[in-house]
Amino acid sequence: MSFSICVAQCTDSLAATMDDQARIMQSIGGVSLAGHSVQGGMALPPPHGHDGTDGDGRKQDIGDILHQIMTITDQSLDEAQAKKHGLNCHRMKPALFSVLCEIKEKTGLSIRGAQEEDPPDPQLMRLDNMLLAEGVAGPEKGGGSAAAAAAAAASGGAGDNSIEHSDYRAKLTQIRQIYHTELEKYEQACNEFTTHVMNLLREQSRTRPISPKEIERMVGIIHRKFSSIQMQLKQSTCEAVMILRSRFLDARRKRRNFSKQATEILNEYFYSHLSNPYPSEEAKEELAKKCSITVSQGVGSTITVSQVSNWFGNKRIRYKKNIGKFQEEANLYAAKTAVNAAHAAAAAVQNSQANSPTTPNSGFQMKDEEFQLDSAESKNTLLTNMFTGSSGSFNLPNSGDMFLSMQSLNGDSYQGAQVGANVQSQVDTLRHVISQTAGYNDALGGNTMYSPHGLNANGGWQDATTPSSVISPTEGPGSVHSDTSN
DNA sequence: GTAGATGATTTCCC
DNA sequence: GGGAAATCATCTAC
């Protein structure tokens, strides 16, 4: 709306308002507006149409007043002050004031029409949703533990990695606190500023046309300004959370190879449970503990349950994909385990002989029931199998068997390997022990330590021979149990 | 620098 | 929810 239109409107409205006012004044007091003199020495021309019926005269009068208002800034300060005072005291001031208020209101409404009723800012909604999801905004639920858990779940964790989680949570809580403190500050500042502006406007409304709606609108503007500041705060908070999260995930992605001992422990378990290489949760925990002990002696970090799970997942896949490649490793660990079993057996025999010298061949029983070797026939069968390679119990995938692997220990494939000499001597020991103990029980074949590798035709793992409780001969009673549920 | 090994992550399926 | 498979990212040996 241009100013000229505004002034024209103002003039018409003012004339009409003055008509009404004059009529009211006349009817209630019998005092004619036309009789008013101009106070303050203002040389306002006397209004035409003393009876209040001369519209042209009034328009001229109002035009003069508006002209003076418009040119007030062109005059010196003293002159302007005098003119202002004169206008304030002018008989038409109240009418003019209300009309100006009305015009401003209308103008404001037309501007507001375009500004208000804005749909909620999608950017702000995104930020709000994100902060809510991350546990920064909204009701406190343990400082974003849900988000931490989500991050853990997303990264395959199972609630462990407690160090990283607590670290993440602590930092998230820090961000949350800062966010809420800043938010409170902004809100407080917004309220204070709003109150201040409202008071100021109320004060000013005595001297210039300010309607309550205008004040309301001003408050809205202030709130919008502060909202935009809040949005910036939300944006920076989101960025901070994103950075924290990415760092957290990056840290998890960073990997360090497990120590040789840890890998050996895992491999031993894997190959000794080859028919069913799915450790239970307890077994995983036990393995993690064992690996961590060996690791902590060196690197100083720990191996978690989820890492054990990862390791077994990777191992299963990679073993299945390339059995041939892992055959040597399988043989190696099988041999190793067998040797350890033999050592254990030898120790048991020695103990048995020492304790019962009169019954040296009365039977052999290891701590694990899986290793009960009290059947002479079975022992002989196993003994034969061990050295003829005919036992199905030792079948390795595709081809070969434990015995072949044992033979190969003397051959090229293991020459030079660190285990070569050791295993050879241990094999000798094993032979000796076996000859002393007069063989094994076939049950040994049932032990997953030497069980057939359980890949079925479909590429899945067989579930046939895994005992409910398997103890590696190398481990003793405190060893890891497999998960038969698999 | 590169290839292979390996731990971690993601996606899909049951 | 757990596992398989694919993939990523880093480590390690050469």
Side-chain angles (χ1 to χ4, degrees):
Chain A
M1 183 187 294
S2 70
F3 183 75
S4 56
I5 299 169
C6 185
V7 167
Q9 277 189 347
C10 175
T11 310
D12 290 340
S13 308
L14 193 53
T17 311
M18 283 182 65
D19 266 347
D20 295 341
Q21 272 200 338
R23 271 196 297 275
I24 292 163
M25 295 293 276
Q26 279 172 346
S27 65
I28 59 171
V31 180
S32 170
L33 278 170
H36 271 274
S37 64
V38 177
Q39 295 174 20
M42 285 280 291
L44 282 171
H48 301 281
H50 289 191
D51 57 359
T53 56
D54 186 356
D56 289 340
R58 278 201 306 273
K59 280 185 184 173
Q60 180 65 43
D61 187 18
I62 295 159
D64 288 342
I65 298 168
L66 288 173
H67 178 73
Q68 287 184 51
I69 294 171
M70 293 300 296
T71 56
I72 203 165
T73 51
D74 299 334
Q75 295 162 3
S76 69
L77 197 61
D78 288 343
E79 279 177 336
Q81 282 291 346
K83 194 172 274 184
K84 190 179 154 192
H85 182 66
L87 284 168
N88 261 335
C89 301
H90 194 271
R91 60 187 170 80
M92 282 195 268
K93 188 240 174 180
L96 189 63
F97 193 85
S98 68
V99 170
L100 283 173
C101 279
E102 195 182 326
I103 290 168
K104 277 188 76 176
E105 186 62 38
K106 279 178 183 167
T107 314
L109 275 174
S110 68
I111 296 167
R112 217 179 322 163
Q115 289 178 344
E116 285 185 352
E117 307 301 330
D118 284 339
D121 187 356
Q123 168 81 358
L124 188 63
M125 279 177 68
R126 268 200 300 274
L127 290 172
D128 280 336
N129 286 339
M130 193 186 152
L131 290 173
L132 212 60
E134 292 295 333
V136 176
E140 189 149 15
K141 289 179 289 187
S145 57
S155 56
D160 44 333
N161 303 309
S162 54
I163 296 166
E164 291 92 333
H165 284 188
S166 61
D167 200 32
Y168 179 83
R169 267 201 296 273
K171 288 204 161 56
L172 202 65
T173 308
Q174 228 175 332
I175 291 173
R176 186 190 161 89
Q177 278 171 354
I178 293 168
Y179 170 75
H180 283 286
T181 313
E182 290 298 308
L183 207 61
E184 269 179 32
K185 272 188 202 165
Y186 285 151
E187 278 171 4
Q188 200 180 344
C190 179
N191 288 338
E192 280 174 11
F193 189 67
T194 306
T195 313
H196 177 71
V197 169
M198 278 171 74
N199 289 338
L200 210 64
L201 288 173
R202 282 198 195 106
E203 191 70 30
Q204 286 190 352
S205 68
R206 293 180 198 163
T207 54
R208 65 188 188 94
I210 299 171
S211 64
K213 280 193 177 175
E214 204 180 337
I215 296 173
E216 202 178 299
R217 195 163 62 87
M218 191 59 78
V219 170
I221 290 168
I222 294 167
H223 282 180
R224 271 198 293 279
K225 283 284 170 199
F226 272 90
S227 292
S228 70
I229 296 170
Q230 277 186 3
M231 194 158 98
Q232 283 174 15
L233 171 70
K234 284 174 182 176
Q235 209 156 5
S236 348
T237 308
C238 279
E239 279 169 18
V241 172
M242 285 295 100
I243 290 166
L244 173 69
R245 195 163 183 161
S246 73
R247 277 186 191 163
F248 177 71
L249 291 176
D250 282 352
R252 290 171 60 81
R253 189 178 273 278
K254 284 240 166 144
R255 68 178 192 83
R256 200 176 281 270
N257 285 353
F258 295 166
S259 71
K260 202 173 175 182
Q261 296 102 308
T263 310
E264 269 186 19
I265 288 168
L266 295 169
N267 270 320
E268 268 179 30
Y269 186 94
F270 180 82
Y271 287 113
S272 66
H273 297 78
L274 206 45
S275 68
N276 191 30
Y278 298 86
S280 65
E281 279 305 305
E282 294 80 38
K284 284 177 194 169
E285 278 172 26
E286 192 73 25
L287 284 167
K289 211 178 288 177
K290 284 178 76 177
C291 291
S292 296
I293 290 166
T294 62
V295 167
S296 63
Q297 289 166 353
V299 180
S301 65
T302 56
I303 292 179
T304 64
V305 174
S306 65
Q307 282 178 301
V308 171
S309 296
N310 286 340
W311 190 92
F312 273 89
N314 285 326
K315 190 75 182 179
R316 282 192 298 265
I317 296 280
R318 285 161 188 167
Y319 179 85
K320 207 160 94 174
K321 267 187 181 172
N322 198 349
I323 293 171
K325 196 186 88 179
F326 286 99
Q327 178 126 9
E328 277 188 12
E329 193 178 66
N331 295 346
L332 186 67
Y333 278 98
K336 199 174 166 185
T337 321
V339 167
N340 287 331
H343 280 160
V349 167
Q350 279 174 0
N351 281 341
S352 171
Q353 283 174 342
N355 295 336
S356 317
T358 55
T359 55
N361 294 319
S362 61
F364 168 68
Q365 184 168 354
M366 289 177 68
K367 287 175 182 175
D368 189 344
E369 64 274 16
E370 300 296 339
F371 284 87
Q372 285 179 0
L373 302 172
D374 51 5
S375 161
E377 191 187 353
S378 303
K379 289 168 195 167
N380 286 330
T381 306
L382 180 66
L383 181 63
T384 309
N385 291 342
M386 281 287 285
F387 291 96
T388 58
S390 61
S391 169
S393 297
F394 289 88
N395 281 341
L396 289 170
N398 300 336
S399 63
D401 56 26
M402 174 63 185
F403 179 59
L404 291 176
S405 76
M406 298 282 275
Q407 285 181 316
S408 72
L409 292 173
N410 296 321
D412 292 7
S413 61
Y414 286 97
Q415 276 179 359
Q418 68 166 52
V419 292
N422 283 344
V423 170
Q424 182 55 57
S425 67
Q426 286 165 337
V427 166
D428 291 338
T429 312
L430 177 62
R431 283 176 176 154
H432 175 72
V433 170
I434 288 169
S435 66
Q436 285 225 325
T437 56
Y440 287 104
N441 190 335
D442 250 350
L444 187 61
N447 187 295
T448 50
M449 183 68 68
Y450 308 104
S451 66
H453 299 202
L455 280 177
N456 59 30
N458 298 327
W461 301 90
Q462 287 174 358
D463 190 25
T465 57
T466 309
S468 60
S469 173
V470 176
I471 297 175
S472 164
T474 61
E475 296 163 351
S479 67
V480 175
H481 295 250
S482 74
D483 182 5
T484 54
S485 66
N486 284 318

